[in-house]
Amino acid sequence: MIENQAKFIQYIEEHKKDLVKTLAEAVAIPSVSGDASYRPQVRKMGEWLEKQFQEAGAKTSTHELGKQTLDGKEIDLPPVVYAQIGDDSSKKTVLVYGHYDVQPALKSDGWNTEPFKLEEDEKTGCLYGRGSTDDKGPILGWLYVLLAHKSLGIPLPVNLKFCFEGMEESGSVGLEDFVAKEAKGLFSGVDAVCISDNYWLGTVKPCVTHGLRGIAYFKLEIKGPARDLHSGVFGGMVHEPMTDLIKIMSSFVSPEGKILIPGINEQVAELTDKERKVYDEMDFSISDVDNATGSSTTVSDHKPDVLMARMRYPSLSLHGVEGAFAEPGSKTVIPARVVGKFSIRLVPDMQPQKVVDAVKKHVEEQFKQLNSKNTMNISADPPGKPWLADPNHWNYEAAFKATEDIYGVKPDLTREGGSIPITLTFADKLDKNVLLLPMGRSDDGAHSTNEKLDTSNYVKGTELLGSYLYEVSAITN
Amino acid sequence: MIENQAKFIQYIEEHKKDLVKTLAEAVAIPSVSGDASYRPQVRKMGEWLEKQFQEAGAKTSTHELGKQTLDGKEIDLPPVVYAQIGDDSSKKTVLVYGHYDVQPALKSDGWNTEPFKLEEDEKTGCLYGRGSTDDKGPILGWLYVLLAHKSLGIPLPVNLKFCFEGMEESGSVGLEDFVAKEAKGLFSGVDAVCISDNYWLGTVKPCVTHGLRGIAYFKLEIKGPARDLHSGVFGGMVHEPMTDLIKIMSSFVSPEGKILIPGINEQVAELTDKERKVYDEMDFSISDVDNATGSSTTVSDHKPDVLMARMRYPSLSLHGVEGAFAEPGSKTVIPARVVGKFSIRLVPDMQPQKVVDAVKKHVEEQFKQLNSKNTMNISADPPGKPWLADPNHWNYEAAFKATEDIYGVKPDLTREGGSIPITLTFADKLDKNVLLLPMGRSDDGAHSTNEKLDTSNYVKGTELLGSYLYEVSAITN
């Protein structure tokens, strides 16, 4: 390990409290991108972030992405926050991506603490709060790489460019066009891309990730009466939207997770013997899933099947119903308009448009069979393609070495079940290798209640990100 | 029409504004019985009501019914408010029942106005607000019968006893035992019972009602992981509670409203030719339903089929899902615990316990077929039996005559789709004839958004209730 890298690591070890304090400031801004009423908070978060990177020595700028219609209102999209530090032509240039928006969260969803107030629990060693691990912890890790080098008065080993968006949890609207436009502008001269926005496979061993599933998110609306009805007065007389919706939603997926919509599974790349072997050998056990979910509910007891269900096969989840009775207690209502929410995770070689077409065709056929007098509408959010990168690139070599520097182990090379559509955009538009270098653990609960980041992952993860830059600069190629 | 009755009617005509003002006071108290956090408001409503009847000259008392567990808390049940006026042994004694609790309502459900602020719209001629028609308008109608006679200094034509409960919208917990206990106490000497808590068949012609459907309300819980999960990270790996729930809920009822659970339809009394003829002849058209629902979604275009679907056949409605994603927007969550809410309306000769048993058996079989590792629990709220009364009783004769006094037409004799379980309790425990004499119209939207009571129905309905008492006293039998 070279001297500057060691100094950097020591600095981070000595500034744990500052790291936590800054994360608390970030979590306190409820930058929920999926709800129009929170949009001012998303913009506030972008402004806060730009200021932090300015103070850490970066040149920054914000870039508006136009407007969108959300919850029936036309509102401004959150801007891209761009930052840049170093322009030494003898150094490699790494582009870092992160996002400053978060998933929705209400204490009443089942949180033990206020979701937008970071709580450090010394017993569990965890930092609880919405966005702690997804993705505010990682972007502040990068911030502290800059702050450490500035404080220590030592140069960064590479040139860095940062692209932070505020719409990742809501389809990254506007970002693909922005990246395409700036490929030869802001993003010119980039040698590789690094994204820290996913998780270890388990809770002990680090990993680097070279594949992601895509996503297609659907909204299935059934409308009947002009207003909600009393089920005593009208029950039996009218076609009830909930009956139609539940019937159609029941035709999508089996209890074991097999997608039943024709034309979906047919698109999946065939499993080779060589690929199958990778999953047999991966450091993982069913108990890792059980620990993360707090249950024994895996669809199979066979390790490679469960791993492949996450990494190389599609999945379909039913998220909920908007417009129906969702409170505790009993209410005898016939809801007038209900919207079923569901999504499909996409893998190679699935084509998003072909998936959307197959779902629409299936839903239309199912609805037709009901002979209902209600009206149906099926729509899809902009879908995200799956992604696979070449792990034999120096970008991955640097990540492997940095992980050994910090954690003393060779990381697993994994594919992820989640979706970061922009990963593929960077790979396609910049034509550079993209690396996913996660900070958090599998049980962090991103998108769920009681989201957390282990303090140790935050600190060591920050050291990992900095060390990765040293290993990038050390590789001659 | 005798002189006192005419004076009473004139008084009501001259005091419309007072009637509306008093209703506004009542609607402003959000006496939602189905949500533990509103319980203090339900009790407040009971206190307010007792005070009104005291000031109108009645002797009143409140009667505690014990405790219940709701939303995980043990709380006091709302009391019965009892009132009594007149004890002239030469007069008949009528027992009046009403309820002072209401269904839940949030402006965000789709109300055009604040649900707990009564809004008088002169254009539509309606009074909008939760509880306006169900059942605060009718109980204040009775109040004004008393106030009018007190102000005019004329005696009431009958002795009156009132039983007002605060749990009707939540299963009338505790009331059945109370009525049984007081049958020979507070309720001794009662000659007949009158309840104004249902609706006209349409929007033009009044009716009196001699039948009601019962209800069995079910909560189907599926639990899997200990917390909500990210559908990218875990989608495909685990048995998802929503998948199981939706599958089971899809097996309950056909799009045309046919109940598919074995052992339910088999319990329904057979249709006779004579009964069928009643429905053929009833003053009703499909457009009445269409106007009330604001849609053309009846399960049949054939009038008697639609009427029988409401009055003499059971129905099953899917009300919603607790615990799943119910907001606008997109959220990629796998909900950890979901509770499907549904209910079945019961008709003669269905036995509530046999219905509950059939549903539980069916759900258990369905869940077993899923081979899911999640856990399932099915529970039922205390069910309410269906009810049918003899319409050839003087109680009904008085109601027919009073309707002709006020509206100038002979009312339809109907059965209702809704459930007022306590109707049957009064019939059984007191062994007296029970009459349903509605105030509101079919399109009032009880239990739904923008619940209303036409001002004219409120005023004429109050005149009807008083006139009914005069007609009761006029009948010699």
Side-chain angles (χ1 to χ4, degrees), chain A residues 215-469:
Chain A
I215 185 170
Y217 198 106
F218 296 91
K219 290 164 187 168
L220 169 55
E221 178 192 62
I222 311 274
K223 279 195 294 193
R227 61 197 74 91
D228 288 356
L229 302 174
H230 187 304
S231 68
V233 182
F234 293 97
M237 298 170 93
V238 296
H239 287 277
E240 302 190 10
M242 269 295 273
T243 303
D244 295 351
L245 179 70
I246 297 297
K247 200 80 179 176
I248 299 175
M249 284 178 85
S250 76
S251 70
F252 293 160
V253 61
S254 81
E256 300 78 28
K258 184 169 182 277
I259 297 176
L260 305 174
I261 298 168
I264 302 290
N265 296 321
E266 292 84 339
Q267 299 182 42
V268 178
E270 278 209 38
L271 179 69
T272 63
D273 288 346
K274 192 182 156 197
E275 192 191 351
R276 168 67 193 231
K277 228 175 139 225
V278 172
Y279 295 105
D280 285 337
E281 289 168 2
M282 215 172 269
D283 181 29
F284 180 81
S285 80
I286 298 291
S287 66
D288 288 333
V289 186
D290 290 351
N291 290 337
T293 67
S295 66
S296 298
T297 55
T298 52
V299 292
S300 160
D301 297 325
H302 197 49
K303 180 187 93 174
D305 288 345
V306 172
L307 278 175
M308 289 191 291
R310 170 183 187 157
M311 297 185 180
R312 67 104 54 224
Y313 284 115
S315 63
L316 190 152
S317 295
L318 308 174
H319 304 299
V321 179
E322 178 188 339
F325 177 54
E327 316 285 311
S330 308
K331 187 177 177 185
T332 51
V333 67
I334 298 173
R337 172 188 174 268
V338 286
V339 185
K341 312 282 178 78
F342 63 100
S343 68
I344 300 176
R345 298 285 165 168
L346 312 179
V347 296
D349 300 321
M350 294 167 82
Q351 298 295 324
Q353 194 53 52
K354 272 179 72 182
V355 169
V356 170
D357 291 347
V359 168
K360 287 189 173 176
K361 182 162 179 274
H362 173 76
V363 167
E364 277 155 13
E365 283 172 5
Q366 291 285 314
F367 182 69
K368 207 173 165 194
Q369 281 177 26
L370 300 182
N371 276 316
S372 171
K373 290 183 185 168
N374 294 318
T375 56
M376 185 280 291
N377 183 48
I378 171 83
S379 65
D381 290 357
K385 284 194 279 185
W387 162 78
L388 262 187
D390 171 18
N392 300 311
H393 187 276
W394 57 257
N395 198 23
Y396 280 81
E397 193 187 329
F400 283 123
K401 285 185 175 166
T403 305
E404 296 205 53
D405 293 346
I406 301 302
Y407 287 102
V409 293
K410 191 172 180 299
D412 271 327
L413 178 68
T414 66
R415 288 163 66 175
E416 258 291 359
S419 310
I420 318 171
I422 204 61
T423 307
L424 190 77
T425 303
F426 283 117
D428 283 357
K429 305 294 178 194
L430 307 187
D431 199 19
K432 298 293 169 187
N433 183 277
V434 180
L435 159 76
L436 298 192
L437 187 55
M439 176 177 272
R441 302 184 188 183
S442 64
D443 63 351
D444 279 359
H447 293 212
S448 110
T449 52
N450 301 310
E451 178 183 344
K452 61 90 177 167
L453 175 62
D454 292 75
T455 312
S456 64
N457 279 56
Y458 185 28
V459 174
K460 285 202 174 298
T462 300
E463 296 166 9
L464 174 67
L465 298 179
S467 296
Y468 153 73
L469 303 180

Side-chain angles (χ1 to χ4, degrees), chain B residues 205-207 400 403-404 407-413:
Chain B
K205 193 177 174 191
C207 67
F400 283 122
T403 306
E404 296 205 55
Y407 288 101
V409 292
K410 191 173 179 297
D412 271 326
L413 177 68

Side-chain angles (χ1 to χ4, degrees), chain B residues 12-26:
Chain B
I12 297 299
E13 287 292 326
E14 288 168 358
H15 288 79
K16 285 180 186 179
K17 280 192 182 169
D18 293 333
L19 266 80
V20 172
K21 204 178 137 208
T22 308
L23 184 57
E25 280 181 47

Side-chain angles (χ1 to χ4, degrees), chain A residues 186-215:
Chain A
L186 292 174
F187 302 138
S188 65
V190 164
D191 296 301
V193 181
C194 180
I195 299 176
S196 184
D197 187 23
N198 67 309
Y199 309 94
W200 294 353
L201 187 53
T203 58
V204 178
K205 194 176 173 190
C207 68
V208 299
T209 304
H210 75 118
L212 284 169
R213 295 197 287 191
I215 185 170

Side-chain angles (χ1 to χ4, degrees), chain A residues 23-30 41 44 116-118 136:
Chain A
L23 184 57
E25 281 181 46
V27 166
I29 305 172
Q41 298 292 329
K44 187 180 163 191
F116 295 107
K117 183 172 178 301
L118 190 74
K136 292 180 175 179

